[in-house]
Amino acid sequence: MSIDPAITPDSGGTPRTAGPTAAEAPASASPASPAPVTHRSGAAVRPQRAIVPAGSDEHPLRRGPRNGGGSGRLRALRRRPERAEQAGAAGPRPAGRARGPHAGAWWLWALGLSTAASRTTNPALLALLAAVAGYVVAVCRVPDTPWSRSYAAFLRLGLVVVAIRLAFAVVLGSPIPGTHTVLTLPEVPLPDWAQGVRLGGRVTAEGLWFAFREGMRLATLLACLGAANALANPARLLKSLPGVLYEAGVAVVVAMTFAPHLVADVRRLRTARRLRGRTEKGVRALLQVGLPVLEGALERSVALAAAMDARGYGRTAAVPPAVRRATAALTLGGLLGLCAGTYALLAATGAAYGLPLLLAGLAAAVAGLRLGGRRSVRTRYRPDRWDATAWLITASGVAVAALTIWAAAASPAGLDPPVVPLTAPSLPLWPAAAVLLGLLPAHLKGARP
């Protein structure tokens, strides 16, 4: 049986005529009312829908112009010509401002504040440092991100540290002699080999004040590091690491993101329990929240391992053995020099040899990182640039650290006031002005979201 070329079978096997195309249809014909088509034998066939080009305005399923028409945003701009003029006048938004400053700049700024906190035991200056870090976090953090909500957890951890330090001073005593007795606890006798340690006894106000100052210094350090966690994007920080430190950087960044995700999971589970009418306090509630948090952490670790394996994590290029040994020696020596120089600068004495050791370690580390970058076979998509905003943020933290170190050497009584005799803390003028330089990132347009 022969079939006319003008007749095509449909999906059910019944011969059906092909409708007229747009080129064959007359100009006056309406696509909504196609002409009836008859079978070869004379039987009537139900009318077919006319074939309309997809880009024309008469398409029955048309939701927007195609192939040059554009998306819904362009349709909105056609309806509102003034918005199109504004978009053309504004021009494209700079990528650096939309993404914020470099993540490493926030960590250098926070380390500068931490260095200043380690050089003083004055509670007024420590409270000012914590207030500066908190204000910058409140102004410059990106909302609705897991890491931006971790600063409150670090503050609570600092309060716990202060409470534990005071409890140890009450139970185990304090090496600071005092004349103002607060209370007297029953003392437990200890053997001779436990000289210098006591349980109970007399608790003095001088000992409690000394313990409070030490605990507050550690709490301020935690607040500064919490500010860096709340401001810096861990993924961008990982992308900015040199190629030779990529593997180690993945482990460090995963460890840094554990705290924000943990805080988000605990908050989500507590909200779910509250909506179900269950209590949020007590050991039982803590255990019931801890198990889902642990399960979520394990699921994230498995998903992260699968993603890393799929992206070829750990692959390196072939380099000569001599280059590998030189890279390892320079990198390891440079990092050791950086650690030793930083420790010397943070200690009470050692600034004389700490700075040269820090600079030498930095030079060796940079040489090792540049040499070891030949092993990296990965590329960076839209690498972060160290712009003027990042330089200003870093300079703010470095200035706070440098001026505080200078003030500690010039007038140590203002930054480390004596415990005995017991006196109220005072706020020294020039160290306080140096600490206020840490507020510079809050007034930079490129640092705010």
Side-chain angles (χ1 to χ4, degrees), residues 18-446:
T21 62
E24 297 171 353
S28 61
S30 174
S33 58
V37 182
T38 58
H39 194 266
R40 194 177 190 179
S41 60
V45 181
R46 67 182 176 88
Q48 301 298 308
R49 187 183 296 273
I51 300 177
V52 183
S56 64
D57 294 337
E58 293 83 5
H59 197 275
L61 299 180
R62 173 182 171 272
R63 294 190 178 183
R66 301 180 185 176
N67 300 330
S71 60
R73 182 174 181 269
L74 292 180
R75 294 200 305 273
L77 290 178
R78 288 197 192 97
R79 290 194 298 267
R80 298 174 176 84
E82 66 277 4
R83 292 191 178 182
E85 296 175 0
Q86 293 175 2
R93 184 173 58 180
R97 179 174 297 179
R99 301 176 68 190
H102 199 282
W106 289 121
W107 275 98
L108 292 177
W109 169 81
L111 290 177
L113 297 185
S114 302
T115 304
S118 66
R119 306 293 294 188
T120 178
T121 57
N122 191 331
L125 281 177
L126 293 174
L128 184 61
L129 281 167
V132 166
Y135 180 78
V136 173
V137 169
V139 173
C140 298
R141 69 175 179 177
V142 180
D144 300 331
T145 53
W147 57 86
S148 65
R149 296 187 292 267
S150 62
Y151 183 70
F154 279 90
L155 290 181
R156 296 190 189 99
L157 182 59
L159 295 178
V160 171
V161 167
V162 173
I164 292 175
R165 188 68 179 86
L166 289 174
F168 281 176
V170 171
V171 177
L172 301 179
S174 176
I176 301 299
T179 57
H180 299 79
T181 303
V182 178
L183 74 158
T184 303
L185 299 176
E187 187 171 356
V188 178
L190 296 177
D192 297 337
W193 53 267
Q195 293 292 334
V197 179
R198 67 175 178 86
L199 292 177
R202 191 168 63 96
V203 180
T204 62
E206 288 82 358
L208 291 178
W209 180 243
F210 176 78
F212 175 77
R213 296 197 318 174
E214 296 295 328
M216 191 172 180
R217 178 162 61 176
L218 184 54
T220 307
L221 291 174
L222 290 174
C224 295
L225 296 180
N229 275 279
L231 292 170
N233 188 344
R236 292 179 58 191
L237 186 63
L238 171 63
K239 188 171 64 174
S240 302
L241 287 177
V244 68
L245 294 180
Y246 179 66
E247 287 80 5
V250 170
V252 173
V253 171
V254 168
M256 288 192 312
T257 55
F258 175 76
H261 284 293
L262 182 64
V263 172
D265 288 346
V266 171
R267 182 174 300 176
R268 175 176 53 84
L269 291 170
R270 291 184 64 184
T271 304
R273 288 182 60 86
R274 186 170 59 253
L275 293 176
R276 294 185 177 96
R278 300 178 182 178
T279 180
E280 303 177 12
K281 300 179 181 179
V283 180
R284 183 178 180 182
L286 180 62
L287 294 177
Q288 291 179 355
V289 170
L291 185 60
V293 169
L294 179 61
E295 182 181 359
L298 291 176
E299 290 179 355
R300 282 195 300 270
S301 64
V302 173
L304 178 62
M308 291 167 62
D309 183 69
R311 288 168 174 79
Y313 174 77
R315 298 177 183 176
T316 57
V319 294
V323 176
R324 289 201 302 267
R325 288 192 291 267
T327 301
L330 287 174
T331 304
L332 183 59
L335 293 179
L336 290 177
L338 286 174
C339 293
T342 304
Y343 178 78
L345 289 177
L346 294 178
T349 59
Y353 65 89
L355 185 59
L357 188 60
L358 180 65
L359 295 178
L362 180 63
V366 169
L369 295 179
R370 293 294 299 271
L371 190 61
R374 301 179 182 179
R375 299 181 57 192
S376 178
V377 294
R378 65 189 181 97
T379 58
R380 292 185 177 92
Y381 174 68
R382 294 179 62 189
D384 289 338
R385 300 185 181 278
W386 199 277
D387 54 0
T389 303
W391 281 112
L392 290 175
I393 293 173
T394 305
S396 173
V398 172
V400 172
L403 293 176
T404 306
I405 293 175
W406 173 79
S411 59
L415 275 74
D416 190 13
V419 179
V420 180
L422 192 62
T423 56
S426 61
L427 185 63
L429 180 59
W430 290 110
V435 171
L436 291 178
L437 291 177
L439 293 173
L440 178 63
H443 300 282
L444 296 176
K445 187 176 181 181

